[in-house]
Amino acid sequence: MVKKGVPDWLNSSLWSSPQPPSSNDVVESHEPPASADVKSAVVESIVEPPVPLPPPSVTRPVEPPSSSVHSSTATSVKGEIRDPLSSHNGNNYGNTNFNNYNSEEENGISNNSSTTSIPSVGANTGAVVAPAASSLAEDISSQAQLLQELSRKIINMGELRRIASQGIPDGAGIRSTVWKLLLGYLPPDRALWPSELAKKRSQYMHFKEELLMNPSDITRKLENLSLENSEPDGESKGFLSRSEIIHGEHPLSLGKSSVWNQFFQDTEIIEQIDRDVKRTHPDMHFFSGDSTVAKSNQEALKNILIVFAKLNPGIRYVQGMNEILAPLFYVFKNDPSEENAVSAEADTFFCFVELLSGFRDNFVQQLDNSVVGIRATITRLSQLLKEHDEELWRHLEITTKVNPQFYAFRWITLLLTQEFNFADSLHIWDTLLSDPDGPQDTLLRVCCAMLVIVRRRLLAGDFTSNLKLLQHYPSTNISHLLYVASKM
Amino acid sequence: MVLVLALGDLHIPHRASDLPPKFKSMLVPGKIQHIICTGNLSIKEVHDYLKTVCPDLHIARGEYDEEIRYPETKTLTIGQFKLGVCHGHQVIPWGDLDSLAMLQRQLDVDILVTGHTHQFTAYKHEAGVVINPGSATGSYSSITYDVNPSFVLMDIDGLRVVVYVYELIDGEVKVDKIDFKKTTGSNT
C-alpha cells in the first residue's frame, strides 16, 4: 500500500482542522457490548473527527480493501473513552465496528464529507460516528468490556491488545492493569498474578537495598562480618585504639574497586537524575511542588532511575528517561487498589525496563549512527513520510530544509510525551503499547500522521515557521491523530 | 554520611613547600563536605587551595598564620555532633590531655580538634573526644623534628563517627580507622 500522491481522503478538510464536535448527528445503531458479528455501518460527519482505529498492525483484516461486509471479530465494539482531562468532548463515539475502517482505506471517505448519509452496510462508504449523546453509556459499556476481558482466567492477549488500542478508560485502575499486561509484567494467566507480583516486588526491594546503600553502611556491614565484636566499650578515659581498615576501603580511596570511589562516581549521575526528576512535569501536582505526595513521588522516580542506572552500566542514565518513566508511574500509582498503589514503584521499575528495552538503542550515543540507532529511525520516519505524502516530504526536507532530526528526535526518543498534554499522551501510549510488535512501528506511524495532519500549514511555511510549528506541535484531537496513523 | 576533613599545621611556605603528592592526589574536590583546620597554614594560597577541595572551611588561628582574622576557637555542629577547633598553642602544657579536656568542657563540644604538637592523637575522656590530626606536611614542630605527615577524615553518620587516619610512613600512605559512638543525650 504505497501511496504516491496524497490520497483524496487526506485532502479532505477534515484532516487539516479537526474541530470539536458540535451538534451530534445520526446516532448509529450500536451493538450491545458483548455482541459479536454485526457490522455496523458508520458514516462520518464533517464536524466530528472519526473514531480511532484498531492498531494498524494487529487486526487489519486480511481481505483486500475493496471487500464489502466482513464480520467483525468479537467484542470490537467500543466507544472512544472519554478522557476526563481532555478539553474536548469529541472523544466519545458510539460503539462502532472498527474493523470497518480498514476496508475503506482508499475509498473516499471524503465522499462522505458531507454529513449524514446513512450508508449501506458495505465497505465503500464512510464511517459514522455515533455522537457524544450516549457517551456515558458507551463509556460504561467499553469499561465493562475491558473488565470482562480482564476477568477471564486466562486473558487473550491478542484480544486485549485490540481493545486496548482503541483507548482505555481512565477509571477503576483499568489502565494500570492493562498496561502491566501489555508490557508483559503480569502473565496472561490470572492465577499466577499474586505470586509473580510478590516475586517481582521483593526483587525490587532487594535491588534497592543493595544498590542504594551508602558506603558507610557497606563498610559497616563488611566489618560486622569479619570482626566479631571488638568495640571498645565504656572506658571513660584513654587513648582510642586504632584498628585496621578492611580491604583498603577508605573514603578517599582512588581504587577502581573501592566502594567509596564508585559511590562518588555515581554521585554525579545521581545528581543529574535528581535535577531531571525535579523538572519533570512541573505543572502537575502529582510530580512537582512542595507537598509530601509530590516529594515522595519524586523520591520514587529517583530511586527507580538510580537502580536502573546502576543495573545498566552500559547505558546508565540519559536525560529523557525521566519523561518516559513519568506516565508509567502516574498510572500505576493512581491505581485505586491499595495494594497496587503501594507497590507502584516496584511495578513501574519492571515495566520501565521492559518498555525501554525496545528503545535502548536510542539512548546509547555510540549507536547513534548505526543501523539501530536514532538516526536510522529518523530516516525511516522520513521514508514513511515520503511514501505517504511525497509533496510534503519534498517541501519539508528539500525546499525548506527542515532536517527531521530537529523535531523527530524528541518525538521518537521520548515517545511523544513532550508533544501533547499528559492526558493525551496517556491515550497515545495506550495505542503504542498495544502493538504486539513493539511500539516502534506505531510510533513512526503516529509521527508521520502528525506531520500529515498539519500539512497545509507546513506547505505554506518556510524553514522558521515550519520548525517552530513542529517543535511546538499544536494540540490536536488525539483520536483523529490515531485514526490517521492507523490508516498508514 | 558526612565527610569532614581535619588537618593543620602545614607551615607552608616556611617549613614545608607543599602537601605530599600522595595526599594531594587523594584530596579531590567533591568528596568532602567540611574541612576543619587547626591553623598554621600559613599563607593565603593554602587557604585558597583548601577552599577548592571543599568550600566549607573552618579555621582556627595558629601562631604563624599570616591571616590575623581567623578566630582563636571555633565551634560548629555537624549532624548530631558538636565539633570544636582550636590550634592548641594556647593550651598549656602543649598537648596535655587534661588541659585539652578543660578546653573541651569550656567549648562544650563532643569532638575537639587541636594541633600544634604535629603528632596524631585520639583521646577519649568523659567530656568527649580530642583528636589531633598532626601535621599534613610533616613539618617540624616546636617540640620535635620527627614528624610523619598525617591528617584525619571523619565520617559522621548519625550517632557514630568513623575516624580514618591517613599517615605517610616511609613514603606509603597508611590508613587506619577508629570507631566511636556518641552516647545519646547531651554531654553537659
Side-chain angles (χ1 to χ4, degrees):
Chain A
M1 188 200 87
V2 175
K3 298 181 188 162
K4 288 300 176 193
V6 179
D8 287 336
W9 57 268
L10 266 184
N11 257 336
S12 107
S13 57
L14 280 172
W15 308 126
S16 47
S17 51
Q19 300 152 25
S22 48
S23 62
N24 296 321
D25 300 306
V26 181
V27 181
E28 174 49 38
S29 62
H30 60 267
E31 311 157 15
S35 83
D37 320 284
V38 176
K39 171 180 147 142
S40 64
V42 280
V43 162
E44 210 165 49
S45 75
I46 191 168
V47 283
E48 303 210 15
V51 189
L53 293 188
S57 57
V58 175
T59 56
R60 198 178 288 269
V62 185
E63 310 117 281
S66 58
S67 78
S68 53
V69 185
H70 59 94
S71 57
S72 70
T73 58
T75 69
S76 59
V77 181
K78 184 180 323 318
E80 168 62 32
I81 308 311
R82 184 208 305 267
D83 187 337
L85 299 175
S86 144
S87 54
H88 45 253
N89 283 331
N91 301 336
N92 301 304
Y93 302 103
N95 298 327
T96 54
N97 184 343
F98 297 110
N99 288 326
N100 191 354
Y101 288 107
N102 294 326
S103 65
E104 306 160 335
E105 277 150 7
E106 264 77 66
N107 311 325
I109 297 191
S110 59
N111 295 341
N112 295 338
S113 55
S114 59
T115 46
T116 62
S117 58
I118 308 234
S120 59
V121 185
N124 299 351
T125 54
V128 128
V129 171
S134 47
S135 52
L136 199 50
E138 289 146 16
D139 268 0
I140 297 176
S141 71
S142 66
Q143 195 163 328
Q145 251 194 297
L146 263 181
L147 282 173
Q148 189 205 28
E149 185 62 45
L150 289 175
S151 61
R152 297 205 199 159
K153 281 227 136 128
I154 302 212
I155 299 177
N156 181 341
M157 287 307 292
E159 190 55 34
L160 186 68
R161 285 181 192 281
R162 216 176 36 73
I163 306 179
S165 65
Q166 290 140 14
I168 303 177
D170 280 319
I174 298 183
R175 183 173 265 135
S176 159
T177 320
V178 172
W179 278 17
K180 286 178 189 161
L181 282 163
L182 292 176
L183 284 168
Y185 181 57
L186 289 173
D189 183 353
R190 277 185 82 97
L192 297 176
W193 284 9
S195 59
E196 271 296 310
L197 284 176
K199 196 172 75 168
K200 290 276 172 66
R201 285 164 185 175
S202 76
Q203 197 179 20
Y204 179 69
M205 284 294 128
H206 185 68
F207 284 150
K208 261 176 79 166
E209 269 170 36
E210 230 181 82
L211 297 171
L212 295 183
M213 233 185 352
N214 69 35
S216 305
D217 299 330
I218 297 179
T219 43
R220 200 175 325 173
K221 272 204 173 158
L222 286 177
E223 268 170 61
N224 290 339
L225 292 178
S226 55
L227 320 168
E228 297 82 32
N229 204 352
S230 48
E231 287 229 2
D233 44 288
E235 321 163 10
S236 55
K237 263 188 145 176
F239 286 96
L240 289 168
S241 58
R242 293 158 71 149
S243 49
E244 294 252 325
I245 57 170
I246 311 207
H247 303 148
E249 279 288 351
H250 57 92
L252 297 178
S253 156
L254 296 169
K256 288 255 168 12
S257 60
S258 154
V259 169
W260 287 93
N261 204 8
Q262 283 171 2
F263 172 76
F264 286 119
Q265 283 173 356
D266 290 338
T267 312
E268 287 179 42
I269 298 188
I270 294 178
E271 269 174 27
Q272 191 182 12
I273 292 179
D274 187 47
R275 274 195 298 260
D276 284 344
V277 161
K278 289 205 164 72
R279 293 190 286 205
T280 311
H281 292 295
D283 50 330
M284 290 180 67
H285 281 284
F286 184 82
F287 286 114
S288 151
D290 286 328
S291 62
T292 38
V293 172
K295 292 253 178 296
S296 74
N297 289 340
Q298 284 181 356
E299 199 49 44
L301 287 181
K302 252 176 68 181
N303 288 342
I304 295 174
L305 290 170
I306 294 174
V307 172
F308 182 82
K310 291 205 176 180
L311 288 176
N312 295 280
I315 179 174
R316 294 293 220 166
Y317 171 76
V318 179
Q319 255 192 335
M321 287 183 181
N322 59 316
E323 295 295 339
I324 299 187
L325 186 59
L328 284 175
F329 186 69
Y330 180 84
V331 165
F332 294 157
K333 186 82 190 184
N334 285 332
D335 192 331
S337 140
E338 186 62 38
E339 182 209 335
N340 282 343
V342 160
S343 322
E345 197 182 321
D347 297 341
T348 318
F349 172 74
F350 287 106
C351 291
F352 175 66
V353 170
E354 186 56 44
L355 182 59
L356 212 58
S357 63
F359 292 101
R360 286 176 86 97
D361 297 335
N362 287 347
F363 287 98
V364 179
Q365 215 178 351
Q366 284 93 340
L367 289 178
D368 270 355
N369 291 329
S370 79
V371 174
V372 291
I374 184 66
R375 293 233 174 103
T377 315
I378 293 181
T379 316
R380 270 169 48 207
L381 173 63
S382 191
Q383 282 302 104
L384 199 62
L385 179 65
K386 187 173 174 190
E387 281 170 30
H388 288 278
D389 191 347
E390 172 126 16
E391 185 193 351
L392 180 60
W393 175 81
R394 192 174 300 282
H395 180 84
L396 268 185
E397 299 213 6
I398 301 186
T399 321
T400 53
K401 293 206 183 19
V402 177
N403 188 331
Q405 276 189 27
F406 297 150
Y407 55 86
F409 186 84
R410 197 173 70 169
W411 292 4
I412 295 176
T413 45
L414 296 187
L415 301 179
L416 298 171
T417 48
Q418 296 283 70
E419 313 310 318
F420 302 102
N421 69 36
F422 196 71
D424 286 345
S425 60
L426 288 185
H427 188 92
I428 294 185
W429 275 39
D430 288 338
T431 313
L432 290 182
L433 292 179
S434 55
D435 187 344
D437 297 325
Q440 189 87 281
D441 280 338
T442 316
L443 180 63
L444 289 183
R445 265 186 281 255
V446 174
C447 291
C448 197
M450 284 164 73
L451 290 170
V452 163
I453 284 180
V454 290
R455 69 188 307 273
R456 287 251 171 93
R457 291 159 75 173
L458 287 176
L459 285 172
D462 66 340
F463 176 80
T464 327
S465 67
N466 282 352
L467 196 57
K468 211 164 146 206
L469 179 66
L470 292 173
Q471 284 183 341
H472 303 274
Y473 196 79
S475 75
T476 168
N477 186 318
I478 295 302
S479 23
H480 176 128
L481 173 66
L482 293 173
Y483 172 68
V484 175
S486 66
K487 302 213 53 125
M488 297 193 165
Chain B
M1 198 200 74
V2 180
L3 292 181
V4 181
L5 176 68
L7 78 171
D9 287 319
L10 295 102
H11 289 278
I12 297 172
H14 311 292
R15 304 185 191 176
S17 57
D18 200 359
L19 283 169
K22 292 204 171 162
F23 280 1
K24 258 197 144 156
S25 66
M26 284 200 290
L27 291 176
V28 170
K31 298 187 180 183
I32 298 168
Q33 271 95 11
H34 307 274
I35 298 187
I36 294 182
C37 188
T38 53
N40 275 343
L41 294 178
S42 318
I43 48 176
K44 185 158 189 316
E45 281 76 355
V46 182
H47 174 105
D48 294 339
Y49 164 73
L50 289 178
K51 273 267 181 175
T52 67
V53 175
C54 163
D56 190 29
L57 178 57
H58 305 272
I59 309 186
R61 183 155 192 269
E63 74 270 44
Y64 289 101
D65 270 315
E66 303 209 345
E67 168 67 59
I68 56 171
R69 282 172 302 175
Y70 296 143
E72 295 279 315
T73 63
K74 198 164 189 193
T75 58
L76 59 149
T77 307
I78 294 177
Q80 304 278 348
F81 286 85
K82 288 187 285 198
L83 294 97
V85 199
C86 176
H87 176 248
H89 67 274
Q90 307 94 329
V91 178
I92 302 171
W94 292 338
D96 179 53
L97 295 165
D98 290 326
S99 314
L100 287 172
M102 259 201 308
L103 175 63
Q104 183 158 9
R105 278 187 285 269
Q106 274 178 338
L107 294 176
D108 188 26
V109 290
D110 301 310
I111 302 176
L112 178 66
V113 182
T114 57
H116 187 59
T117 61
H118 296 211
Q119 298 289 340
F120 168 78
T121 49
Y123 183 79
K124 181 177 190 296
H125 56 90
E126 307 92 359
V129 170
V130 178
I131 295 183
N132 185 330
S135 161
T137 51
S139 61
Y140 59 86
S141 75
S142 318
I143 310 167
T144 171
Y145 273 100
D146 181 20
V147 176
N148 279 328
S150 66
F151 67 87
V152 154
L153 184 68
M154 294 186 273
D155 176 9
I156 299 181
D157 192 12
L159 289 172
R160 181 176 179 259
V161 175
V162 182
V163 177
Y164 293 91
V165 185
Y166 293 78
E167 264 182 310
L168 195 67
I169 302 176
D170 297 329
E172 283 304 318
V173 178
K174 297 252 171 12
V175 189
D176 289 328
K177 72 179 177 63
I178 301 172
D179 241 313
F180 69 92
K181 283 195 179 49
K182 171 178 166 174
T183 51
T184 52
S186 54
N187 296 330
T188 47

